Amino acid sequence: CGPTTQLFEQVLHGSKHYHMTEGGRDHLFVWGSGMGADGPFATWRQWVPNAIFMMTETELWNPYRDIVQPSFTPHKDILVPGRLTLEDMMALGRLDKPLEE
């Protein structure tokens, strides 16, 4: 996504606050798709490698062959549940089994 990557780079480049941090250490980004940061902000590893990401997926799930490392980092990022419908939750409840099984 070239246009959104360029937008992120422009905003960060023009930010006085960003230049006072180490790799975006006190920045928080929220990613709502399974692509994490790599889809909308392809150059995040150069710009904000220390930023905190809130995302719905931890796995490497994207259509980019050159991206082989997920953007989720367990020691700094936050996982939030994706959208679950009431029907999804009820179906998961029916699959629930006691620990002994």
Side-chain angles (χ1 to χ4, degrees), residues 72-87:
F72 182 80
T73 306
H75 72 272
K76 68 172 185 66
D77 296 333
I78 301 166
L79 178 67
V80 293
R83 180 181 177 270
L84 291 174
T85 65
L86 180 58
E87 291 80 18

Side-chain angles (χ1 to χ4, degrees), residues 26-49:
D26 63 350
H27 286 63
L28 173 72
F29 293 85
V30 179
W31 310 111
S33 75
M35 291 186 281
D38 294 305
F41 190 6
T43 57
W44 73 267
R45 288 176 175 87
Q46 290 81 38
W47 284 86
V48 290

Side-chain angles (χ1 to χ4, degrees), residues 17-92:
H17 178 77
Y18 166 76
H19 293 288
M20 295 185 295
T21 67
E22 291 183 33
R25 184 175 304 271
D26 63 350
H27 286 63
L28 173 72
F29 293 85
V30 179
W31 310 111
S33 75
M35 291 186 281
D38 294 305
F41 190 6
T43 57
W44 73 267
R45 288 176 175 87
Q46 290 81 38
W47 284 86
V48 290
N50 300 319
I52 296 170
F53 295 159
M54 289 181 67
M55 57 184 60
T56 58
E57 299 286 340
T58 61
E59 295 87 17
L60 182 61
W61 180 85
N62 64 51
Y64 310 107
R65 294 180 189 270
D66 58 326
I67 304 296
V68 295
Q69 181 180 2
S71 54
F72 182 80
T73 306
H75 72 272
K76 68 172 185 66
D77 296 333
I78 301 166
L79 178 67
V80 293
R83 180 181 177 270
L84 291 174
T85 65
L86 180 58
E87 291 80 18
D88 292 335
M89 293 172 46
M90 291 172 67
L92 289 171

